[in-house]
Structures are given as C-alpha cells and as structure tokens.
Amino acid sequence: MNDKAIGIFDSGLGGLTTVKEMAKILPGEDIIYFGDTLRVPYGNRSRETIIKYAMDDVKFLLKQDVKMIIAACGTVSSVATGLGLDIKIPFTGVVEPTAMAAYLSTKNKRIGVIGTTATIKTNSYKKEIKRLDPEIEVIEKDCPLFVPLVENGFIGNDTITTLVAEKYLLPIKNSNVDTLILGCTHYPIIQPIIERIMGRGVAIIDSGKATAKFAAKKLKELNLLNKKGKKGIHSFFVSDSIESFSKTADIFLGEESRCFVKKVDI
Ligand code: DGL
C-alpha cells in the first residue's frame, strides 16, 4: 500500500485522456498531472529537444514525490526511450501497452497507426507490433495538424478538424485495417470524428486507455495501491496560462479540471 500520487505528464492536454481512464479504473488514487503547455507541440521537434523536455517533465514529477510516472505522450514514449535519468520508481510510456491492445484486437492482421511526425518517424508502434507478431501488416500515418487543432479547441463536431481528418484517414481506411491505434494521447479528444470516418468495422485503440489499464495492473502487482478508501485528489500543473488549458480541459474532463490548476516554471 502506498498513499503517494501517480504522476502523469504530456506536452499539453493529451495526457488528460490517460487521467480520465486512470480515474475510472482507480478512483481512490491521487493524481498529479503536468502538461507542458508552454512548449507544446513536441511532435515536430528534434530528438534532442524532445529528450530535454521529457527530462524536465520527469524531474518536475519526481520533485512532487510521486510513486509512479506515466509518460502519457506517444512522442516522448517513442523518441525519448532510456531518458538517461535514474528513475527509482515504476515508469511507463504508452507504446507497449497500446501495441499489445491492438495485437489482441486485430482479426485480419492489418493495423493502422496514427501519431505525430516524430512518433511515426521512429516506427515505435510498428516495431512493437511486429515483435508480437511479424505477420501483422502495419500502416502508419503522421497527422501533424491534429495536436494544434485539439490544443486550440477545434473539437466536438468541428468542420475543419473533420476535413483534415478525412485527408489523413481515408488512405488508411482504404487499406482495409480492422484496428486503428490512436498513437498520440491527444487524439482520443477527437475520437468521435475519427470513428465516423473509419466506420463501424474498425476498432479504435486509445493509447491513454490502454496505458491506464496497464499502469493500474502494475500498481496492483507491486502492491502500491492507495487503500485509504477515499476519492482521489487530482492536481493539474501547466507551464503556460491556466485559462487556455482550462478551456479545453473543461470540455474534456468536465468539473474535474476545475479542481486545482496551477501554472509552474520548470
Ligand atoms: N500527446 C502527445 C503525444 O501523444 C502530443 C505530442 C505533441 O506535443 O506533439 O504524442
């Protein structure tokens, strides 16, 4: 048993998809979230820059004395492997849990992966899926406009996001995949648009959800669950203005995001 909080970070709002799932699975856990909203997006930056930013994010969460860190960011998980930090607490990214969920879902052995440009360049999800089953065909596509659209609130039924999504997704749909990985944690925020375009026959794998399940299992196995029996407290930290974060977070998390949000310099 361990009453410390779980630390979750992302470049911006995307990791909230992991927070939402984590809160559903383990409602008694305290969560400390850090969104690096000043430096978002990470996905079109160099490897060196992404590693530097990820190390800053991890150091911030370590200072909060969390019991586990989740890099709820497809870009960090793909690019900044082996951060060069001595992290003495359990740590997970999103690639392995998500690839496993897709591997378990596909029937026709054709999986699509969408992510940021940095993520798709590493072929991280493809490599992991091929490790699980070399016969699976993996079709990858970067969608660089999705993160700025989400961060700027172009969500819901937005027509611009729908047009952009059609351009990105129709080639993947036409390649007959039966499973699509949302390899960036921002993408579940526009999942209804993605689902509409891909159609009913395609299972959508949300990296936030798959990772939250994986992390919860790991905490249980390591006997690190919070057993206080009270509803967990969620605290949100951002590196840019609270207003812009709260606006979109509100739509996505509802009342939850209004609990505690603080701007910090990291
Ligand atoms: N949510 C991040 C990811 O999963 C966003 C990346 C970005 O900041 O470009 O890749």
Side-chain angles (χ1 to χ4, degrees):
M1 155 165 179
N2 186 316
D3 291 347
K4 290 180 184 176
I6 299 167
I8 300 180
F9 75 91
D10 179 45
S11 57
L13 289 157
L16 295 179
T17 58
T18 309
V19 172
K20 195 174 177 185
E21 293 305 324
M22 206 62 182
K24 264 192 224 157
I25 307 172
L26 297 174
E29 293 293 331
D30 292 347
I31 295 174
I32 295 179
Y33 180 82
F34 177 66
D36 193 5
T37 50
L38 183 68
R39 303 188 292 194
V40 68
Y42 285 6
N44 48 14
R45 298 186 194 273
S46 69
R47 183 170 181 272
E48 292 68 35
T49 304
I50 295 168
I51 291 177
K52 184 197 170 307
Y53 288 177
M55 282 170 72
D56 292 342
D57 303 341
V58 168
K59 283 184 202 155
F60 172 78
L61 287 176
L62 286 175
K63 268 197 230 140
Q64 311 309 310
D65 196 24
V66 294
K67 63 181 169 186
M68 170 187 241
I69 293 180
I70 304 175
C73 175
T75 306
V76 167
S77 311
S78 300
V79 177
T81 47
L83 276 178
L85 283 175
D86 188 15
I87 305 171
K88 295 205 167 57
I89 53 173
F91 179 93
T92 183
V94 298
V95 174
E96 286 84 5
T98 311
M100 175 60 82
Y103 158 74
L104 294 173
S105 150
T106 186
K107 304 273 182 303
N108 73 357
K109 296 199 183 221
R110 297 182 68 76
I111 298 176
V113 180
I114 54 173
T116 64
T117 302
T119 294
I120 296 302
K121 256 196 213 154
T122 66
N123 306 114
S124 56
Y125 288 98
K126 184 176 187 166
K127 284 184 200 150
E128 189 57 26
I129 292 166
K130 290 275 187 196
R131 203 181 60 75
L132 295 165
D133 182 349
E135 281 180 12
I136 295 178
E137 210 46 61
V138 183
I139 295 100
E140 300 167 293
K141 175 85 189 95
D142 63 335
C143 307
L145 291 175
F146 278 173
V147 170
L149 284 168
V150 168
E151 289 284 331
N152 287 289
F154 288 74
I155 57 180
N157 270 332
D158 190 82
T159 36
I160 297 168
T161 307
T162 303
L163 279 176
V164 172
E166 279 170 358
K167 178 117 184 124
Y168 287 146
L169 299 176
L170 287 177
I172 303 190
K173 181 179 160 69
N174 294 337
S175 66
N176 198 27
V177 298
D178 72 349
T179 301
L180 177 71
I181 288 182
L182 306 186
C184 167
T185 51
H186 277 71
Y187 299 178
I189 298 175
I190 51 165
Q191 188 161 336
I193 294 177
I194 296 173
E195 270 172 356
R196 258 200 315 278
I197 296 168
M198 295 306 291
R200 283 198 175 187
V202 179
I204 306 289
I205 309 293
D206 166 344
S207 53
K209 203 182 240 177
T211 305
K213 267 193 206 152
F214 174 83
K217 192 166 159 259
K218 202 160 170 176
L219 283 175
K220 258 180 222 151
E221 280 165 10
L222 296 171
N223 198 23
L224 288 177
L225 288 178
N226 182 334
K227 303 233 169 83
K228 278 191 301 199
K230 284 194 216 146
K231 192 176 181 305
I233 297 165
H234 302 166
S235 320
F236 301 92
F237 295 89
V238 289
S239 49
D240 199 5
S241 91
I242 294 172
E243 289 71 39
S244 58
F245 172 86
S246 296
K247 215 170 107 207
T248 312
D250 244 29
I251 303 171
F252 186 65
L253 279 185
E255 294 207 343
E256 183 69 61
S257 64
R258 277 166 242 156
C259 291
F260 177 89
V261 189
K262 191 173 179 224
K263 179 179 179 297
V264 287
D265 292 321
I266 59 158

